[in-house]
Amino acid sequence: MKNLLIGMMLLFVALSAQAQDKKNKNAKYEIEVLGNCDLCKKRIEKASFSVKGVKSAEYDLDNNRLQLIINEEKCSVLDVKKAIAKVGHDTDEVKATDEDYENLHGCCHYERK
């Protein structure tokens, strides 16, 4: 009986720990992305949606913030930041290469940090 009780307690602890590792299917994030105009907005949102698992991406030009909803089982915020940097826009964590930045339209050249 004592062994059965201990076994059940261990099973409960193991299942509880496993449940905490589960990824969120509707995780919300806000990240900084540098951009200047409506072309930037469209490019940033398109790059975000190119990542499998992005459910929503809305860029606010006034404060240079991208609101994201992602399925963490399919992608990470870092995946989205890399996709945005690849099209020429710096994020708070991943910077675009000089070549990608130079490929932006003239009005899209933001002040790099």
Side-chain angles (χ1 to χ4, degrees), residues 62-85:
D62 294 331
N63 64 12
N64 290 332
R65 307 297 283 177
L66 177 65
Q67 304 286 331
L68 286 173
I69 299 176
I70 64 171
N71 180 343
E72 292 179 321
E73 292 178 349
K74 296 182 179 179
C75 70
S76 69
V77 176
L78 186 58
D79 295 333
V80 178
K81 290 178 180 182
K82 287 177 181 178
I84 292 169

PDB file of all heavy atoms in Angstrom, residues 62-85:
ATOM      1  N   ASP A  62       4.147  54.495 -35.340  1.00  0.00           N
ATOM      2  CA  ASP A  62       4.345  55.595 -34.388  1.00  0.00           C
ATOM      3  C   ASP A  62       5.324  55.246 -33.274  1.00  0.00           C
ATOM      4  O   ASP A  62       6.079  56.109 -32.822  1.00  0.00           O
ATOM      5  CB  ASP A  62       3.005  56.028 -33.778  1.00  0.00           C
ATOM      6  CG  ASP A  62       2.083  56.635 -34.819  1.00  0.00           C
ATOM      7  OD1 ASP A  62       2.590  57.219 -35.811  1.00  0.00           O
ATOM      8  OD2 ASP A  62       0.853  56.523 -34.657  1.00  0.00           O
ATOM      9  N   ASN A  63       5.301  54.001 -32.828  1.00  0.00           N
ATOM     10  CA  ASN A  63       6.212  53.639 -31.730  1.00  0.00           C
ATOM     11  C   ASN A  63       7.190  52.512 -32.090  1.00  0.00           C
ATOM     12  O   ASN A  63       7.886  51.997 -31.223  1.00  0.00           O
ATOM     13  CB  ASN A  63       5.420  53.274 -30.464  1.00  0.00           C
ATOM     14  CG  ASN A  63       4.558  52.047 -30.620  1.00  0.00           C
ATOM     15  OD1 ASN A  63       4.688  51.301 -31.589  1.00  0.00           O
ATOM     16  ND2 ASN A  63       3.664  51.832 -29.679  1.00  0.00           N
ATOM     17  N   ASN A  64       7.229  52.143 -33.382  1.00  0.00           N
ATOM     18  CA  ASN A  64       8.154  51.100 -33.870  1.00  0.00           C
ATOM     19  C   ASN A  64       8.023  49.794 -33.095  1.00  0.00           C
ATOM     20  O   ASN A  64       9.018  49.156 -32.750  1.00  0.00           O
ATOM     21  CB  ASN A  64       9.608  51.583 -33.834  1.00  0.00           C
ATOM     22  CG  ASN A  64       9.884  52.641 -34.861  1.00  0.00           C
ATOM     23  OD1 ASN A  64       9.246  52.690 -35.900  1.00  0.00           O
ATOM     24  ND2 ASN A  64      10.832  53.512 -34.575  1.00  0.00           N
ATOM     25  N   ARG A  65       6.791  49.384 -32.821  1.00  0.00           N
ATOM     26  CA  ARG A  65       6.535  48.155 -32.083  1.00  0.00           C
ATOM     27  C   ARG A  65       5.706  47.205 -32.936  1.00  0.00           C
ATOM     28  O   ARG A  65       4.763  47.610 -33.607  1.00  0.00           O
ATOM     29  CB  ARG A  65       5.779  48.429 -30.779  1.00  0.00           C
ATOM     30  CG  ARG A  65       6.413  49.472 -29.874  1.00  0.00           C
ATOM     31  CD  ARG A  65       7.750  49.114 -29.357  1.00  0.00           C
ATOM     32  NE  ARG A  65       7.672  48.151 -28.287  1.00  0.00           N
ATOM     33  CZ  ARG A  65       8.739  47.635 -27.692  1.00  0.00           C
ATOM     34  NH1 ARG A  65       9.941  47.986 -28.049  1.00  0.00           N
ATOM     35  NH2 ARG A  65       8.595  46.763 -26.737  1.00  0.00           N
ATOM     36  N   LEU A  66       6.083  45.946 -32.905  1.00  0.00           N
ATOM     37  CA  LEU A  66       5.362  44.891 -33.614  1.00  0.00           C
ATOM     38  C   LEU A  66       4.648  44.029 -32.580  1.00  0.00           C
ATOM     39  O   LEU A  66       5.279  43.480 -31.673  1.00  0.00           O
ATOM     40  CB  LEU A  66       6.331  44.038 -34.435  1.00  0.00           C
ATOM     41  CG  LEU A  66       5.740  42.854 -35.184  1.00  0.00           C
ATOM     42  CD1 LEU A  66       4.777  43.320 -36.282  1.00  0.00           C
ATOM     43  CD2 LEU A  66       6.842  41.993 -35.783  1.00  0.00           C
ATOM     44  N   GLN A  67       3.332  43.942 -32.718  1.00  0.00           N
ATOM     45  CA  GLN A  67       2.518  43.083 -31.855  1.00  0.00           C
ATOM     46  C   GLN A  67       2.389  41.732 -32.543  1.00  0.00           C
ATOM     47  O   GLN A  67       1.932  41.660 -33.684  1.00  0.00           O
ATOM     48  CB  GLN A  67       1.115  43.686 -31.661  1.00  0.00           C
ATOM     49  CG  GLN A  67       1.103  45.083 -31.107  1.00  0.00           C
ATOM     50  CD  GLN A  67       1.438  45.124 -29.628  1.00  0.00           C
ATOM     51  OE1 GLN A  67       1.168  44.183 -28.903  1.00  0.00           O
ATOM     52  NE2 GLN A  67       2.029  46.205 -29.199  1.00  0.00           N
ATOM     53  N   LEU A  68       2.774  40.678 -31.854  1.00  0.00           N
ATOM     54  CA  LEU A  68       2.760  39.334 -32.425  1.00  0.00           C
ATOM     55  C   LEU A  68       1.901  38.387 -31.593  1.00  0.00           C
ATOM     56  O   LEU A  68       1.874  38.488 -30.372  1.00  0.00           O
ATOM     57  CB  LEU A  68       4.163  38.726 -32.430  1.00  0.00           C
ATOM     58  CG  LEU A  68       5.175  39.216 -33.435  1.00  0.00           C
ATOM     59  CD1 LEU A  68       6.536  38.609 -33.135  1.00  0.00           C
ATOM     60  CD2 LEU A  68       4.755  38.870 -34.842  1.00  0.00           C
ATOM     61  N   ILE A  69       1.244  37.475 -32.281  1.00  0.00           N
ATOM     62  CA  ILE A  69       0.650  36.299 -31.647  1.00  0.00           C
ATOM     63  C   ILE A  69       1.197  35.108 -32.421  1.00  0.00           C
ATOM     64  O   ILE A  69       1.030  35.029 -33.641  1.00  0.00           O
ATOM     65  CB  ILE A  69      -0.889  36.314 -31.688  1.00  0.00           C
ATOM     66  CG1 ILE A  69      -1.430  37.532 -30.939  1.00  0.00           C
ATOM     67  CG2 ILE A  69      -1.443  35.017 -31.087  1.00  0.00           C
ATOM     68  CD1 ILE A  69      -2.934  37.695 -31.010  1.00  0.00           C
ATOM     69  N   ILE A  70       1.877  34.223 -31.701  1.00  0.00           N
ATOM     70  CA  ILE A  70       2.512  33.073 -32.350  1.00  0.00           C
ATOM     71  C   ILE A  70       2.147  31.777 -31.648  1.00  0.00           C
ATOM     72  O   ILE A  70       1.785  31.760 -30.477  1.00  0.00           O
ATOM     73  CB  ILE A  70       4.047  33.201 -32.402  1.00  0.00           C
ATOM     74  CG1 ILE A  70       4.657  33.206 -31.006  1.00  0.00           C
ATOM     75  CG2 ILE A  70       4.468  34.423 -33.190  1.00  0.00           C
ATOM     76  CD1 ILE A  70       6.174  33.104 -30.980  1.00  0.00           C
ATOM     77  N   ASN A  71       2.271  30.694 -32.388  1.00  0.00           N
ATOM     78  CA  ASN A  71       2.152  29.352 -31.835  1.00  0.00           C
ATOM     79  C   ASN A  71       3.571  28.903 -31.508  1.00  0.00           C
ATOM     80  O   ASN A  71       4.363  28.628 -32.412  1.00  0.00           O
ATOM     81  CB  ASN A  71       1.499  28.421 -32.853  1.00  0.00           C
ATOM     82  CG  ASN A  71       1.357  27.009 -32.341  1.00  0.00           C
ATOM     83  OD1 ASN A  71       1.995  26.600 -31.377  1.00  0.00           O
ATOM     84  ND2 ASN A  71       0.518  26.241 -33.009  1.00  0.00           N
ATOM     85  N   GLU A  72       3.897  28.848 -30.228  1.00  0.00           N
ATOM     86  CA  GLU A  72       5.258  28.512 -29.810  1.00  0.00           C
ATOM     87  C   GLU A  72       5.627  27.052 -30.102  1.00  0.00           C
ATOM     88  O   GLU A  72       6.801  26.698 -30.018  1.00  0.00           O
ATOM     89  CB  GLU A  72       5.441  28.796 -28.319  1.00  0.00           C
ATOM     90  CG  GLU A  72       5.410  30.268 -27.992  1.00  0.00           C
ATOM     91  CD  GLU A  72       5.558  30.554 -26.517  1.00  0.00           C
ATOM     92  OE1 GLU A  72       4.990  29.799 -25.691  1.00  0.00           O
ATOM     93  OE2 GLU A  72       6.241  31.535 -26.187  1.00  0.00           O
ATOM     94  N   GLU A  73       4.644  26.233 -30.477  1.00  0.00           N
ATOM     95  CA  GLU A  73       4.950  24.864 -30.874  1.00  0.00           C
ATOM     96  C   GLU A  73       5.522  24.821 -32.287  1.00  0.00           C
ATOM     97  O   GLU A  73       6.156  23.845 -32.676  1.00  0.00           O
ATOM     98  CB  GLU A  73       3.692  23.989 -30.802  1.00  0.00           C
ATOM     99  CG  GLU A  73       3.203  23.778 -29.382  1.00  0.00           C
ATOM    100  CD  GLU A  73       1.943  22.948 -29.304  1.00  0.00           C
ATOM    101  OE1 GLU A  73       1.314  22.690 -30.355  1.00  0.00           O
ATOM    102  OE2 GLU A  73       1.573  22.554 -28.188  1.00  0.00           O
ATOM    103  N   LYS A  74       5.308  25.892 -33.072  1.00  0.00           N
ATOM    104  CA  LYS A  74       5.755  25.922 -34.463  1.00  0.00           C
ATOM    105  C   LYS A  74       6.896  26.907 -34.721  1.00  0.00           C
ATOM    106  O   LYS A  74       7.631  26.755 -35.694  1.00  0.00           O
ATOM    107  CB  LYS A  74       4.580  26.273 -35.372  1.00  0.00           C
ATOM    108  CG  LYS A  74       3.490  25.230 -35.355  1.00  0.00           C
ATOM    109  CD  LYS A  74       2.379  25.584 -36.302  1.00  0.00           C
ATOM    110  CE  LYS A  74       1.310  24.505 -36.289  1.00  0.00           C
ATOM    111  NZ  LYS A  74       0.207  24.835 -37.180  1.00  0.00           N
ATOM    112  N   CYS A  75       7.025  27.952 -33.899  1.00  0.00           N
ATOM    113  CA  CYS A  75       8.085  28.942 -34.124  1.00  0.00           C
ATOM    114  C   CYS A  75       8.410  29.652 -32.813  1.00  0.00           C
ATOM    115  O   CYS A  75       7.732  29.467 -31.810  1.00  0.00           O
ATOM    116  CB  CYS A  75       7.666  29.963 -35.187  1.00  0.00           C
ATOM    117  SG  CYS A  75       6.356  31.094 -34.677  1.00  0.00           S
ATOM    118  N   SER A  76       9.430  30.476 -32.877  1.00  0.00           N
ATOM    119  CA  SER A  76       9.813  31.283 -31.718  1.00  0.00           C
ATOM    120  C   SER A  76       9.870  32.750 -32.147  1.00  0.00           C
ATOM    121  O   SER A  76       9.881  33.067 -33.337  1.00  0.00           O
ATOM    122  CB  SER A  76      11.187  30.844 -31.195  1.00  0.00           C
ATOM    123  OG  SER A  76      12.193  31.197 -32.136  1.00  0.00           O
ATOM    124  N   VAL A  77       9.952  33.627 -31.178  1.00  0.00           N
ATOM    125  CA  VAL A  77      10.086  35.055 -31.479  1.00  0.00           C
ATOM    126  C   VAL A  77      11.397  35.296 -32.219  1.00  0.00           C
ATOM    127  O   VAL A  77      11.460  36.130 -33.127  1.00  0.00           O
ATOM    128  CB  VAL A  77      10.028  35.899 -30.185  1.00  0.00           C
ATOM    129  CG1 VAL A  77      10.266  37.358 -30.476  1.00  0.00           C
ATOM    130  CG2 VAL A  77       8.687  35.719 -29.498  1.00  0.00           C
ATOM    131  N   LEU A  78      12.423  34.560 -31.869  1.00  0.00           N
ATOM    132  CA  LEU A  78      13.711  34.712 -32.546  1.00  0.00           C
ATOM    133  C   LEU A  78      13.591  34.374 -34.032  1.00  0.00           C
ATOM    134  O   LEU A  78      14.200  35.054 -34.872  1.00  0.00           O
ATOM    135  CB  LEU A  78      14.772  33.834 -31.880  1.00  0.00           C
ATOM    136  CG  LEU A  78      16.198  33.994 -32.402  1.00  0.00           C
ATOM    137  CD1 LEU A  78      16.679  35.440 -32.270  1.00  0.00           C
ATOM    138  CD2 LEU A  78      17.135  33.059 -31.669  1.00  0.00           C
ATOM    139  N   ASP A  79      12.790  33.382 -34.387  1.00  0.00           N
ATOM    140  CA  ASP A  79      12.559  33.049 -35.799  1.00  0.00           C
ATOM    141  C   ASP A  79      11.964  34.250 -36.539  1.00  0.00           C
ATOM    142  O   ASP A  79      12.359  34.564 -37.668  1.00  0.00           O
ATOM    143  CB  ASP A  79      11.602  31.859 -35.945  1.00  0.00           C
ATOM    144  CG  ASP A  79      12.157  30.562 -35.392  1.00  0.00           C
ATOM    145  OD1 ASP A  79      13.399  30.401 -35.366  1.00  0.00           O
ATOM    146  OD2 ASP A  79      11.342  29.709 -34.983  1.00  0.00           O
ATOM    147  N   VAL A  80      11.017  34.920 -35.903  1.00  0.00           N
ATOM    148  CA  VAL A  80      10.369  36.086 -36.518  1.00  0.00           C
ATOM    149  C   VAL A  80      11.372  37.230 -36.650  1.00  0.00           C
ATOM    150  O   VAL A  80      11.451  37.883 -37.699  1.00  0.00           O
ATOM    151  CB  VAL A  80       9.136  36.528 -35.699  1.00  0.00           C
ATOM    152  CG1 VAL A  80       8.495  37.764 -36.313  1.00  0.00           C
ATOM    153  CG2 VAL A  80       8.121  35.400 -35.595  1.00  0.00           C
ATOM    154  N   LYS A  81      12.161  37.459 -35.632  1.00  0.00           N
ATOM    155  CA  LYS A  81      13.163  38.532 -35.671  1.00  0.00           C
ATOM    156  C   LYS A  81      14.181  38.294 -36.786  1.00  0.00           C
ATOM    157  O   LYS A  81      14.585  39.234 -37.478  1.00  0.00           O
ATOM    158  CB  LYS A  81      13.871  38.657 -34.320  1.00  0.00           C
ATOM    159  CG  LYS A  81      12.976  39.204 -33.233  1.00  0.00           C
ATOM    160  CD  LYS A  81      13.700  39.263 -31.900  1.00  0.00           C
ATOM    161  CE  LYS A  81      12.803  39.821 -30.811  1.00  0.00           C
ATOM    162  NZ  LYS A  81      13.501  39.923 -29.522  1.00  0.00           N
ATOM    163  N   LYS A  82      14.571  37.055 -36.979  1.00  0.00           N
ATOM    164  CA  LYS A  82      15.523  36.726 -38.055  1.00  0.00           C
ATOM    165  C   LYS A  82      14.903  36.990 -39.426  1.00  0.00           C
ATOM    166  O   LYS A  82      15.574  37.504 -40.326  1.00  0.00           O
ATOM    167  CB  LYS A  82      15.969  35.274 -37.946  1.00  0.00           C
ATOM    168  CG  LYS A  82      16.913  35.010 -36.791  1.00  0.00           C
ATOM    169  CD  LYS A  82      17.268  33.537 -36.701  1.00  0.00           C
ATOM    170  CE  LYS A  82      18.189  33.247 -35.534  1.00  0.00           C
ATOM    171  NZ  LYS A  82      18.489  31.805 -35.413  1.00  0.00           N
ATOM    172  N   ALA A  83      13.628  36.649 -39.590  1.00  0.00           N
ATOM    173  CA  ALA A  83      12.941  36.888 -40.867  1.00  0.00           C
ATOM    174  C   ALA A  83      12.831  38.379 -41.154  1.00  0.00           C
ATOM    175  O   ALA A  83      13.006  38.822 -42.297  1.00  0.00           O
ATOM    176  CB  ALA A  83      11.553  36.244 -40.846  1.00  0.00           C
ATOM    177  N   ILE A  84      12.564  39.165 -40.134  1.00  0.00           N
ATOM    178  CA  ILE A  84      12.456  40.623 -40.296  1.00  0.00           C
ATOM    179  C   ILE A  84      13.822  41.219 -40.633  1.00  0.00           C
ATOM    180  O   ILE A  84      13.936  42.088 -41.506  1.00  0.00           O
ATOM    181  CB  ILE A  84      11.859  41.260 -39.020  1.00  0.00           C
ATOM    182  CG1 ILE A  84      10.400  40.829 -38.864  1.00  0.00           C
ATOM    183  CG2 ILE A  84      11.982  42.777 -39.051  1.00  0.00           C
ATOM    184  CD1 ILE A  84       9.790  41.170 -37.520  1.00  0.00           C
ATOM    185  N   ALA A  85      14.866  40.769 -39.959  1.00  0.00           N
ATOM    186  CA  ALA A  85      16.218  41.265 -40.243  1.00  0.00           C
ATOM    187  C   ALA A  85      16.638  40.917 -41.669  1.00  0.00           C
ATOM    188  O   ALA A  85      17.325  41.691 -42.328  1.00  0.00           O
ATOM    189  CB  ALA A  85      17.208  40.695 -39.229  1.00  0.00           C
TER     190      ALA A  85
END
